[in-house]
Amino acid sequence: MTPPACAMRHPWRRSGSIARGGTVLGIALGAPGQVWLATTAGLWQGDVGHWWSLGVARQLRASALALAGGLLIAGDAWGGIRFSGDNGRTWHTALVDETTSAVTCFGVSPDFARDRVLLAGTADAGILRSNDGGRRWQLANVGLADFTLLALAVAPIWSPREVVFAATDEAVYRSPNGGRAWKRADRGLEGVGVQTLAISPLFAADATVYAGSERHGVYRSVDGGDSWQPLAAAASFPAINSLCCFLRDGDAVPTLIAGTADGTLIRSTDRGESWRVVAADGWPILALDSRAGRIYAGLDDGGLLFSDDAGLSWQLDDQLVARDITRLAVCEGSPLLAFGPAGGAWRADGTYSWRALAALDDLGTLFALTCSQQIGWLAAADAGLFRSIDAGASWQLSLEPIDSRISVIATSVAWPAELWAGAADGTIWRSEDAGRQWRRLTTAADGQPLVAIAVARWPIDGCVMVAASFDPLDQRVTIWRSMDSGAQWESWLTDNTNWPRVSICLGRDADDHTWVSLGARLWLWDSAQWQSFELDGTPVIALLRIPGATTSVAATAEGVYAMVDRQPWQVIEGAPSGLIDIAITPDGAEGSTIVGLELGGVVWEWPLGSVRTIA
């Protein structure tokens, strides 16, 4: 049952987006107006100028997409294949035999309505084949000697043979029987790293296939893959990441578009004998597809380009906001920060005008970002835990655990020069000198990644630490507590959930209320026992306590809730659904503002003083 509502004196205000664009990994085209994009921020649907997130698929990070007979097929970047029969609103997990390798590309039978055949290339397990419309997949590696798939290209007509081409790390293969078995077809491509393939729409008549390479431009085969020749006019271009070949009404020769690693789009209307640069926007081209006269180009970081004149001119779709920005961070005296695993880190300057913290770009995946008045800014990334004392302009390595990585960071106003860091192997580290030296504490959860840490000073007990670990195999979160600064740990609370995001709000002392969010539940420790509450049945994405006030705020996938003066939780009317994080600006208890982050990087704000309880 949804809690009662809180009235508002002011509406939520959309403050704009952190940065437009995003990384588009795959494109699936349906009827006009039905386009799906696989991005690092999840799946998006719509068409040029109007996009919306498929919220129910928020946890699906698709690395490849295909549309077959009204069925949307997605390859999960973490392994597995999912399918949807209702335009992506709900998803089902396919049964994949013998592998959990990530899918890199798809191929769809031209006779899919009849034979239900689909192919999928994987990162390290070879080729999967389905003959039941994507419900079940089996390995189809007969004849393959290399199992890292980069591209698949399916002949537009399977008559008299069911011809499919596959590019791997080491060779190009051809199948004459719909992907059941493979044979090398790369004479003339020896030593050439092929990254993408495109097959002529007139293949039954011209037997032409194109291959884009890492260092040698574009190659062409006019004998169905028996032999390949380099196209001299394309040899000087950088790595060819993507190819698209299509036939316009009235044309006798297909048009060929190639996208390069340096963001150049080139076009040929004479089967690759000559090329013309038609766009050079600087963002690497990751995906190309065409339908009904419109061509789409998915970019690395830049979003989406489109052309409505067969590739002669291109425009940037500035309405796509699909960046992998998932968290907010705020500290008194510092600007509001936003970051994500693959979306980089950003700081708000002025009234939500954002600029990138470019110095963090080379550190790999970003797991945590926080700031402290005494210590500076802190970032946990693939390369270790880093500290900045110049507001993010430069970063210095502070901690680099052996055989693990830092996943969470904690600070405390009670110990302004101290830091705590939790690692993916369950270890916890503490620094008492602003990150210059570290000592390893007793492990709370051996071998389980830590997903949250909170530290407080309780008048009688001293340094109290609480940590949360997530067991991905058993789908369980455990809350651990230490009453002696991390020397000993006890299991305090356990709950089954597949949602690894945990918030911990420690009370001011042992008798004060402590709140923890686990999955769809809020747990309250009242100094004697735990009680659980459920807001709306969806996962809690953030739980905050307002400094100096008696108000707490929680956000779920469906709404935002407030608890004032320990009264029951109440829904805040008019709050945007689909928020993925919230933060409180440090303007004081009465003047505080809730800042909400929407998937892709859209920011909302609402003055906390607007809330009043409905009797």
Side-chain angles (χ1 to χ4, degrees):
M1 176 176 161
T2 301
C6 289
M8 296 190 308
R9 291 193 295 271
H10 302 287
W12 286 79
R13 183 173 71 89
R14 189 180 188 274
S15 301
S17 58
I18 293 173
R20 299 189 184 277
T23 296
V24 178
L25 303 170
I27 305 169
L29 304 178
Q34 287 190 325
V35 180
W36 291 268
L37 304 178
T39 78
T40 53
L43 292 178
W44 298 78
Q45 185 182 1
D47 208 338
V48 169
H50 182 62
W51 299 96
W52 63 93
S53 165
L54 295 179
V56 296
R58 205 171 294 143
Q59 295 184 63
L60 171 58
R61 292 297 178 94
S63 52
L65 282 179
L67 187 69
L71 195 68
L72 191 60
I73 312 292
D76 198 321
W78 293 309
I81 296 174
R82 301 195 200 182
F83 60 91
S84 172
D86 58 5
N87 295 328
R89 287 187 290 275
T90 59
W91 290 84
H92 309 280
T93 300
L95 180 60
V96 179
D97 290 348
E98 302 180 64
T99 181
T100 57
S101 180
V103 171
T104 57
C105 52
F106 283 110
V108 179
S109 163
D111 297 328
F112 178 80
R114 176 184 58 83
D115 62 26
R116 313 297 288 172
V117 171
L118 295 166
L119 300 172
T122 69
D124 55 22
I127 295 173
L128 293 163
R129 189 177 192 272
S130 171
N131 58 11
D132 64 359
R135 272 71 175 175
R136 179 163 184 162
W137 299 74
Q138 296 176 315
L139 291 175
N141 290 335
V142 175
L144 287 184
D146 176 32
F147 304 111
T148 300
L149 269 293
L150 303 177
L152 288 167
V154 178
I157 297 175
W158 275 8
S159 177
R161 293 185 175 182
E162 302 171 336
V163 176
V164 185
F165 292 88
T168 74
D169 250 354
E170 298 178 357
V172 171
Y173 291 83
R174 179 179 56 198
S175 170
N177 55 10
R180 295 179 183 86
W182 303 86
K183 186 176 181 180
R184 287 186 69 147
D186 57 354
R187 184 160 56 93
L189 289 173
E190 295 84 0
V192 176
V194 173
Q195 300 191 125
T196 183
L197 295 166
I199 198 163
S200 168
L202 302 175
F203 179 80
D206 62 22
T208 299
V209 192
Y210 299 92
S213 72
E214 187 176 8
R215 293 189 300 272
H216 302 89
V218 180
Y219 282 70
R220 182 182 65 193
S221 171
V222 295
D223 53 14
D226 288 339
S227 62
W228 298 80
Q229 297 78 37
L231 296 172
S236 62
F237 290 103
I240 306 296
N241 288 343
S242 50
L243 287 168
C244 180
C245 192
F246 59 93
L247 187 67
R248 293 189 297 174
D249 290 342
D251 285 354
V253 178
T255 297
L256 189 63
I257 306 289
T260 72
D262 73 346
T264 301
L265 283 163
I266 56 178
R267 180 178 186 265
S268 175
T269 55
D270 56 7
R271 297 163 52 110
E273 294 295 332
S274 64
W275 296 83
R276 172 185 171 186
V277 174
V278 289
D281 287 288
W283 292 295
I285 314 296
L286 302 183
L288 283 168
D289 210 342
S290 66
R291 182 207 56 206
R294 174 170 283 177
I295 314 169
Y296 301 83
L299 310 178
D300 181 8
D301 192 58
L304 189 74
L305 292 173
F306 67 97
S307 172
D308 286 328
D309 56 9
L312 283 170
S313 63
W314 294 80
Q315 301 176 63
L316 181 68
D317 184 358
D318 60 5
Q319 295 304 303
L320 178 63
V321 181
R323 292 186 177 270
D324 186 29
I325 301 173
T326 58
R327 301 299 294 266
L328 297 168
V330 66
C331 174
E332 187 175 356
S334 297
L336 181 65
L337 305 177
F339 67 97
W346 303 75
R347 59 173 290 171
D349 292 332
T351 309
Y352 299 119
S353 173
W354 297 83
R355 63 183 174 93
L357 298 177
L360 283 173
D361 290 347
D362 296 330
L363 302 182
T365 303
L366 194 58
F367 302 106
L369 181 66
T370 189
C371 48
S372 164
Q373 281 189 302
Q374 290 282 103
I375 299 171
W377 295 8
L378 302 156
D382 280 325
L385 177 62
F386 290 80
R387 175 181 174 228
S388 173
I389 57 174
D390 53 13
S394 63
W395 298 81
Q396 295 76 43
L397 183 64
S398 176
L399 174 62
E400 187 178 16
I402 299 174
D403 299 327
S404 189
R405 60 169 175 77
I406 298 300
S407 53
V408 290
I409 316 166
T411 61
S412 174
V413 293
W415 296 277
E418 297 197 22
L419 285 170
W420 292 262
D425 62 357
T427 58
I428 297 178
W429 301 76
R430 181 177 183 176
S431 172
E432 300 177 19
D433 57 2
R436 296 175 183 83
Q437 295 180 312
W438 292 83
R439 63 185 177 90
R440 180 172 170 171
L441 304 180
T442 303
T443 299
D446 191 21
Q448 296 181 15
L450 294 176
V451 293
I453 296 179
V455 183
R457 183 197 293 273
W458 286 358
I460 297 176
D461 300 287
C463 181
V464 176
M465 299 179 60
V466 177
S469 65
F470 177 63
D471 186 335
L473 294 179
D474 292 338
Q475 302 281 278
R476 183 174 63 242
V477 170
T478 302
I479 304 296
W480 306 85
R481 182 174 67 168
S482 172
M483 307 296 287
D484 53 10
S485 303
Q488 299 180 77
W489 293 88
E490 62 174 335
S491 176
W492 199 18
L493 174 66
T494 299
D495 197 11
N496 292 323
T497 176
N498 63 357
W499 182 254
R501 193 154 162 181
V502 176
S503 297
I504 304 169
C505 293
L506 291 177
R508 290 179 289 268
D509 53 48
D511 295 325
D512 194 16
H513 288 176
T514 288
W515 287 92
V516 174
S517 69
L518 295 180
R521 294 189 183 95
L522 292 176
W523 289 86
L524 169 66
W525 176 256
D526 62 3
S527 77
Q529 62 183 356
W530 288 102
Q531 303 175 52
S532 69
F533 303 83
E534 195 167 286
L535 297 176
D536 56 25
T538 63
V540 179
I541 56 99
L543 171 65
L544 301 171
R545 177 172 287 170
I546 313 306
T550 57
T551 301
S552 297
V553 179
T556 73
E558 296 296 332
V560 182
Y561 301 80
M563 184 184 67
V564 182
D565 296 328
R566 297 192 177 181
Q567 297 300 307
W569 287 93
Q570 299 187 346
V571 63
I572 298 176
E573 291 181 335
S577 62
L579 294 181
I580 58 173
D581 202 10
I582 57 171
I584 306 294
T585 58
D587 303 327
E590 294 301 323
S592 296
T593 298
I594 301 176
V595 180
L597 178 66
E598 195 176 290
L599 195 68
V602 174
V603 178
W604 295 78
E605 61 177 342
W606 185 68
L608 188 62
S610 298
V611 66
R612 60 182 175 85
T613 303
I614 297 177

